[in-house]
Amino acid sequence: MYSIFRNLALILISAKFFALLARKCRAPQVVGEIIAGLVIGPCLLNLVQPSDSIAIFAEIGVVLLMFTTGLGTNLQELMRAGPIATLIACVGVAVPLAGGTLLYSLFYGFSALGSPEFYRALFIGTIMTATSVSITVATLQELGKLKSFLGTTIVSAAVIDDVIGIVVLTCVLGASGGADTSLVDVLMDTVLFFIAAIVIGLIIHKAMLWLDRRNPHTQRITIVSLAFCFAMAYIAEQYFGIADITGAYIAGIVLCSLEDAPYIERRVDISGYMLFSPVFFVSIGLKTDISGLTPTILLFSVCFVVVALITKIIGCGLAAKVCRFSWPDSLKVGVGMMTRGEVALIVAQKGLGVGVVDPVYFTAVILLIVVSSIVTPLALKGLFSKG
């Protein structure tokens, strides 16, 4: 029992060390935390093994991560984004989804619709749908383009992209959960969940507005918000068969317009950043099985990265062109949307949990995050410098 404290100590120290090392190398810190899991886990030193206790901490970490993502959403900008950002996001999800599914099928054979192997292929495409806008935002801010119409369009489309990606994840997870589950049932459960979420959200939002006015900047508002987050995660998973991260994300969206939303986000982020999030990312490294790497899987990983980047550029770029952007601006939109990050890891982790993703394919996801995080800023700077 007490070995969990030893494991947590090793996880936190190694996660911080490798995260700082990654930042020195101008790579995302989450990549360093995943590498920490590879180093201290069964792949190399075998100091820490995956366990139920670590899995629980990791699950709390991913729920908090999605909750703070929802809290950080600017609902007004999301509503104002309009048809342009929505179209870019929809096509930016559909094209990578199709590209990833086709890539897996080309490597491992085409399977019958609804078969387990078909859902494996579909899940590879689902991993490709997520966009991580944080690096793009930092680059646009540095270039002085963040507040421009082009910059606002990219950021808004990325936010909507995440929402659509979570809906796709929910449907794929539900449909791949068992042989007796039909896609119609999954879609019905998804619709019912969102209806329930709207009703519950309106009630909780009004209650939280009252609590926020009476007790601004107090611990109780953070505690009640966390309780709502965990309750929504439980309701989503238990009663609708929807991923718990979807419930947590919706809880964040419900509370994001509160006056104290930034305060709640900071307080929750402390717990996540200090303990739960590092455990989540390190646990990915612990579960990654590099012993199963073969030349075929390495080739697949390289193709996975290429397809993931190109499909975002093509999908989002063409959608921007349809919305009457110029060709150079359409290319900027496509490039700005191709970065991947934490959400791609969360999707892959969920796929691992239901058995539709093998641990060895985390290599491809990690490679995608590293490459896209390096290529996107360089490409954007080059495109904007040309005018």
Side-chain angles (χ1 to χ4, degrees):
M1 175 182 174
Y2 296 108
S3 62
I4 183 62
F5 299 121
R6 166 190 168 275
N7 290 341
L8 286 174
L10 289 170
I11 286 171
L12 292 176
I13 291 296
S14 60
K16 189 60 181 178
F17 173 78
F18 282 99
L20 290 173
L21 200 61
R23 191 169 68 179
K24 291 281 186 183
C25 300
R26 297 188 176 182
Q29 292 191 54
V30 295
V31 173
E33 292 175 347
I34 295 166
I35 291 172
L38 291 170
V39 172
I40 67 174
C43 286
L44 291 175
L45 299 180
N46 200 27
L47 297 174
V48 179
Q49 293 79 37
S51 66
D52 291 341
S53 300
I54 292 174
I56 291 170
F57 273 83
E59 193 65 23
I60 294 172
V62 71
V63 165
L64 291 180
L65 190 63
M66 292 307 293
F67 180 53
T68 54
T69 302
L71 277 172
T73 302
N74 189 320
L75 198 57
Q76 288 183 335
E77 282 189 14
L78 189 62
M79 299 299 289
R80 280 202 305 260
I84 292 178
T86 303
L87 178 62
I88 291 171
C90 288
V91 181
V93 167
V95 176
L97 180 65
T101 304
L102 181 61
L103 174 68
Y104 186 91
S105 300
L106 288 172
F107 265 80
Y108 301 104
F110 290 85
S111 303
L113 189 70
S115 66
E117 203 61 23
F118 169 77
Y119 285 118
R120 286 179 180 272
L122 191 61
F123 214 89
I124 293 297
T126 305
I127 294 171
M128 289 187 184
T129 61
T131 295
S132 177
V133 76
S134 56
I135 292 172
T136 300
V137 166
T139 306
L140 290 172
Q141 198 163 27
E142 182 182 335
L143 295 169
K145 303 291 184 180
L146 184 60
K147 299 298 182 182
S148 66
F149 178 70
L150 189 64
T152 303
T153 301
I154 293 172
V155 174
S156 300
V159 173
I160 298 170
D161 181 290
D162 277 349
V163 175
I164 298 170
I166 288 171
V167 173
V168 171
L169 170 65
T170 298
C171 293
V172 174
L173 279 177
S176 61
D180 297 330
T181 307
S182 70
L183 186 57
V184 174
D185 291 336
V186 172
L187 290 174
M188 282 296 296
D189 286 342
T190 304
V191 170
L192 287 173
F193 168 73
F194 279 104
I195 292 173
I198 290 170
V199 174
I200 295 170
L202 288 172
I203 296 170
I204 295 297
H205 183 73
K206 289 185 179 297
M208 291 298 290
L209 282 174
W210 175 82
L211 184 64
D212 196 17
R213 283 194 296 267
R214 286 180 60 90
N215 304 280
H217 284 67
T218 56
Q219 287 185 355
R220 68 192 66 177
I221 193 166
T222 305
I223 292 169
V224 173
S225 299
L226 269 175
F228 177 55
C229 163
F230 292 132
M232 286 297 291
Y234 173 77
I235 290 168
E237 193 83 51
Q238 180 68 23
Y239 296 108
F240 297 93
I242 306 299
D244 52 5
I245 59 172
T246 307
Y249 185 77
I250 294 298
I253 293 286
V254 169
L255 303 180
C256 71
S257 59
L258 291 180
E259 198 170 315
D260 260 349
Y263 171 78
I264 299 168
E265 184 183 357
R266 286 195 305 271
R267 298 298 294 268
V268 173
D269 205 35
I270 291 171
S271 300
Y273 177 79
M274 293 291 289
L275 177 59
F276 296 108
S277 291
V279 174
F280 166 67
F281 291 116
V282 170
S283 72
I284 291 172
L286 294 177
K287 292 178 181 178
T288 302
D289 182 13
I290 62 172
S291 64
L293 281 177
T294 63
T296 301
I297 291 174
L298 285 174
L299 177 60
F300 175 83
S301 298
V302 173
C303 293
F304 177 87
V305 172
V306 173
V307 170
L309 298 182
I310 289 176
T311 51
K312 272 292 183 187
I313 294 173
I314 292 174
C316 298
L318 288 179
K321 185 59 184 173
V322 169
C323 295
R324 299 186 179 181
F325 282 83
S326 65
W327 280 113
D329 283 351
S330 298
L331 182 59
K332 290 169 189 173
V333 170
V335 170
M337 292 284 288
M338 72 180 184
T339 310
R340 306 316 203 279
E342 292 88 341
V343 178
L345 287 170
I346 291 168
V347 173
Q349 175 80 356
K350 284 294 172 185
L352 178 63
V354 298
V356 293
V357 173
D358 292 324
V360 73
Y361 291 110
F362 276 114
T363 305
V365 182
I366 295 166
L367 186 62
L368 171 61
I369 293 170
V370 173
V371 172
S372 64
S373 299
I374 294 171
V375 170
T376 300
L378 294 175
L380 278 177
K381 288 176 183 177
L383 288 171
F384 276 105
S385 67
K386 292 179 181 178

